[in-house]
Amino acid sequence: EDQVTQSPEALRLQEGESSSLNCSYTVSGLRGLFWYRQDPGKGPEFLFTLYSAGEEKEKERLKATLTKKESFLHITAPKPEDSATYLCAVQAETGANNLFFGTGTRLTVIP
Amino acid sequence: KAGVTQTPRYLIKTRGQQVTLSCSPISGHRSVSWYQQTPGQGLQFLFEYFSETQRNKGNFPGRFSGRQFSNSRSEMNVSTLELGDSALYLCASSFFDEQFFGPGTRLTVL
């Protein structure tokens, strides 16, 4: 059965304090791993898609990496506006288009 | 380019009633997926429609149904509402693999 585990559940950082969020996954053939950001009361906002082990993608202060069993979202010198819940999801090779989500990491960046 | 729109944004219903939610995908996107988000379960897949056909379905009871129209707009219906159906219902549209979410409809069942 597909499974996605995100850690930590919550993370508090001082502004400028870099850190990483973890997403461990089990899926019967990975088609893609997705990172989203969700602000309270809003829908998830697409950040990255990773397809194969070793792949990396960057966007502003965020960098996502992928191995065969996990993905990391590195946040460099975060700002208060980076505060949000970060969601990881996997899509299996079965041909179905649905995403299987983890429960997210709630990030708070303190000025 | 306009994003995914969902209507209504908020709904309050009572147990036993039924509800219909609407989703308009990004122009050109033919796939629409629906998800339920609750604090306890997180985001869970309901179903996906592509070219007016249900292509995939999650593990939800038959009270949850949907359809897609020729213009790719989609609706989902929940009949005989239960208290546990209170959630944020999210619609996502996709062209290839990447799914773009709407703002959601917050359903409260009293």
Side-chain angles (χ1 to χ4, degrees), chain A residues 31 34 36 38 41-44 46 49 51 87 91 96-99 101-103, chain B residues 9 31 35 37 43 45 48 55-56 88 90 94 96-103:
Chain A
R31 183 166 143 196
F34 300 78
Y36 287 86
Q38 187 173 27
K42 296 187 176 181
F46 172 78
T49 309
Y51 292 103
L87 298 164
Q91 191 175 58
N97 208 31
N98 57 293
L99 298 175
F101 280 86
T103 52
Chain B
R9 293 294 313 279
S31 170
Y35 294 81
Q37 186 174 31
L43 269 148
F45 172 75
E48 182 210 358
R55 191 158 71 170
N56 193 20
L88 181 67
L90 292 158
S94 60
F96 286 109
D97 290 335
E98 295 166 0
Q99 295 189 19
F100 298 89
F101 285 82

Side-chain angles (χ1 to χ4, degrees), chain B residues 48-59:
Chain B
E48 182 210 358
Y49 285 87
F50 181 85
S51 293
E52 302 179 65
T53 301
Q54 187 180 87
R55 191 158 71 170
N56 193 20
K57 190 177 190 304
N59 296 325

Side-chain angles (χ1 to χ4, degrees), chain B residues 8-15 17-19 21 81-89 105-110:
Chain B
R9 293 294 313 279
Y10 303 92
L11 265 179
I12 299 176
K13 293 286 187 179
T14 56
R15 278 181 300 174
Q17 287 187 309
Q18 77 165 20
V19 67
L21 313 182
L81 284 166
E82 301 176 0
L83 295 179
D85 296 334
S86 294
L88 181 67
Y89 289 88
T105 294
R106 171 73 63 187
L107 172 64
T108 301
V109 182
L110 302 176

Side-chain angles (χ1 to χ4, degrees), chain B residues 12-38:
Chain B
I12 299 176
K13 293 286 187 179
T14 56
R15 278 181 300 174
Q17 287 187 309
Q18 77 165 20
V19 67
T20 299
L21 313 182
S22 181
C23 170
S24 293
I26 294 170
S27 177
H29 287 193
R30 292 165 62 190
S31 170
V32 173
S33 298
W34 288 89
Y35 294 81
Q36 180 195 66
Q37 186 174 31
T38 59

